[in-house]
Amino acid sequence: MASSLLSTPSQTLAPAPATARLRAARPAQAMFPRGLPRRGRALRVRASVAIEKETPESEPPPTFLREDGQGAGSGSVRERFESMIRRVQGEICTALEEADGSGARFVEDVWSRPGGGGGISRVLQDGRVFEKAGVNVSVVYGVMPPDAYRAAKGEAGKNGAADGQKAGPVPFFAAGISSVLHPKNPFAPTLHFNYRYFETDALKDVPGAPRQWWFGGGTDLTPSYIIEEDVKHFHSVQKQACDKFDPSFYPKFKKWCDDYFYIKHRNERRGLGGIFFDDLNDYDQEMLLGFATECADSVLPAYLPIIERRKDTPFNEEHKAWQQLRRGRYVEFNLVYDRGTTFGLKTGGRIESILVSLPLTARWQYDHKPEEGTEEWKLLDACMNPKEWL
């Protein structure tokens, strides 16, 4: 779900509002996420499952949590994760507006969910540097159908419940931040990141069912041209963030990223990778909250220096045409393979939010094959044969 919690690639349990009012964004508020399914088990929901329609709001609330058991004012992981993603959204939007330098501003769309929670979507479009940039947060909770729970958690038994009992609705909590940034310059890479936290409570009619939680997310780079200085810088920041918590994280999550963003029908990756993880709960919860926070805080140090170096690089029509072809690959992955996107489309979520990750423009050229040895060929080769950049 890369793209993304509930992101672009995702929209899993939190489709955005049926009608949206866009307005100038304030510097420090929050998003809608991407897919929330467990690793390798996409969240499958019957077509008959009704998805709540969200209500447009004029202002973001101080918190999307409630005091009635939803963590508001409790210092819980839920509360601290929401605080983190809303802070990061504000910081990233402010930094991107400054980097764009055109006076273009993010517009903001706030929504609430009748069953609990809501989200804030922000989009900057047609800037000087960024053709399209979306930074979204969501915090949603309520109950999910038992079929969705079984698909997400891989429960054993015909009924997906302990002792063969029939499972009822499963209380859940999901929060995340998700973003895709598409620059105009072909030498400036696209960036995607998504970080999310998910909980399920005990099944309502199954005594003793455990409460479960996990973290997921990642940050990955999708350039049209390989500039090794940039790619190595990006991966080094990811490694530094990982190494602060566990030296095994970067190699493990780097491979996971290469494997996840794989366009099977093309036999190539969407880009040059980064880190990706999901279903992460086999470490201390406080440690993983700190890790997710560190990763989210690493987005700007990993990306802004690259943008500053490349946003004014001279380019020609051939460079632009190649960028458009690579964006076509981005579209193919998100529409065909990204779990969050496909879930949102199948369950009737708000289309603008589901497809916010897609670029304004893309290109499909029949049987295009770059000449061996060219810079375009080198990029394609690296997408087909993932490299170790550090």
Side-chain angles (χ1 to χ4, degrees), residues 334-386:
N334 280 31
L335 293 183
V336 177
Y337 298 109
D338 184 74
R339 294 195 294 264
T341 301
T342 54
F343 182 93
L345 293 174
K346 290 177 180 179
T347 54
R350 179 175 177 261
I351 196 68
E352 294 302 324
S353 294
I354 297 169
L355 301 183
V356 71
S357 66
L358 301 184
L360 282 185
T361 58
R363 175 185 178 106
W364 286 267
Q365 183 174 327
Y366 181 75
D367 198 27
H368 181 273
K369 293 183 176 66
E371 183 179 349
E372 186 170 348
T374 62
E375 294 304 310
E376 292 80 6
W377 179 88
K378 291 177 183 177
L379 184 282
L380 183 59
D381 180 65
C383 290
M384 298 179 74
N385 303 290

Side-chain angles (χ1 to χ4, degrees), residues 5 11 16 59 103 122 129 138 210 239-240 280 292 298 302 372 390:
L5 154 70
Q11 264 298 108
E59 299 288 337
R122 291 181 175 181
V129 173
S138 69
K239 185 177 186 300
Q240 289 166 19
L280 200 60
S298 297
E372 186 170 348
L390 301 180

Side-chain angles (χ1 to χ4, degrees), residues 47-333:
S48 60
V49 173
I51 300 297
E52 288 182 330
K53 291 298 182 181
E54 282 68 23
T55 303
E57 302 290 350
S58 60
E59 299 288 337
T63 177
F64 287 105
L65 300 174
R66 296 192 302 252
E67 292 184 4
D68 57 344
Q70 292 303 331
S74 66
S76 65
V77 172
R78 295 182 178 193
E79 181 181 53
R80 285 179 288 155
F81 194 85
E82 181 196 15
S83 177
M84 181 273 285
I85 62 177
R86 294 182 66 165
R87 171 184 61 79
V88 168
Q89 185 193 40
E91 292 173 357
I92 287 178
C93 288
T94 297
L96 294 179
E97 288 177 348
E98 292 176 356
D100 194 84
S102 65
R105 294 290 179 263
F106 281 87
V107 292
E108 184 176 83
D109 160 11
V110 183
W111 51 273
S112 63
R113 183 174 176 272
I120 304 169
S121 298
R122 291 181 175 181
V123 179
L124 183 154
Q125 200 160 273
D126 286 321
R128 185 181 76 85
V129 173
F130 293 102
E131 181 178 281
K132 187 179 180 185
V135 188
N136 309 303
V137 303
S138 69
V139 179
V140 298
Y141 41 89
V143 294
M144 73 168 90
D147 284 347
Y149 178 82
R150 288 195 295 270
K153 305 299 292 181
E155 293 295 310
K158 293 181 180 179
N159 296 315
D163 300 324
Q165 299 182 47
K166 184 179 179 181
V170 182
F172 79 94
F173 171 89
I177 180 166
S178 182
S179 176
V180 178
L181 313 175
H182 293 293
K184 288 185 173 180
N185 195 300
F187 294 99
T190 286
L191 180 87
H192 158 256
F193 73 89
N194 166 251
Y195 292 98
R196 55 195 176 273
Y197 175 67
F198 189 66
E199 288 182 6
T200 57
D201 281 320
L203 304 177
K204 284 189 173 182
D205 52 1
V206 180
R211 180 174 187 170
Q212 299 190 39
W213 56 266
W214 63 90
F215 291 85
T219 306
D220 62 282
L221 197 70
T222 305
S224 300
Y225 289 92
I226 296 177
I227 303 176
E228 289 212 9
E229 174 190 10
D230 296 346
V231 182
K232 288 180 177 179
H233 166 77
F234 174 80
H235 277 270
S236 70
V237 174
Q238 307 312 307
K239 185 177 186 300
Q240 289 166 19
C242 290
D243 286 353
K244 289 181 180 180
F245 294 85
D246 190 318
S248 72
F249 277 4
Y250 174 75
K252 180 166 57 178
F253 298 157
K254 191 267 185 189
K255 182 180 187 305
W256 201 340
C257 187
D258 289 337
D259 292 343
Y260 179 79
F261 293 103
Y262 176 60
I263 309 171
K264 186 176 180 180
H265 61 271
R266 298 282 190 181
N267 189 31
E268 62 189 72
R269 276 73 188 168
R270 189 176 72 179
L272 300 185
I275 59 171
F276 178 83
F277 57 90
D278 200 6
D279 193 21
L280 200 60
N281 61 6
D282 49 354
Y283 296 82
D284 178 76
Q285 191 177 33
E286 289 293 327
M287 185 268 248
L288 291 178
L289 174 61
F291 175 57
T293 300
E294 181 72 24
C295 289
D297 284 334
S298 297
V299 169
L300 289 176
Y303 189 58
L304 275 188
I306 299 173
I307 286 297
E308 293 299 333
R309 288 195 293 263
R310 308 305 166 199
K311 63 184 181 181
D312 295 318
T313 301
F315 62 89
N316 58 34
E317 290 185 6
E318 290 183 0
H319 296 138
K320 192 67 179 177
W322 175 246
Q323 179 196 47
Q324 297 296 292
L325 285 169
R326 294 313 303 172
R327 284 184 174 172
R329 298 294 205 266
Y330 204 98
V331 172
E332 287 178 28
F333 176 84

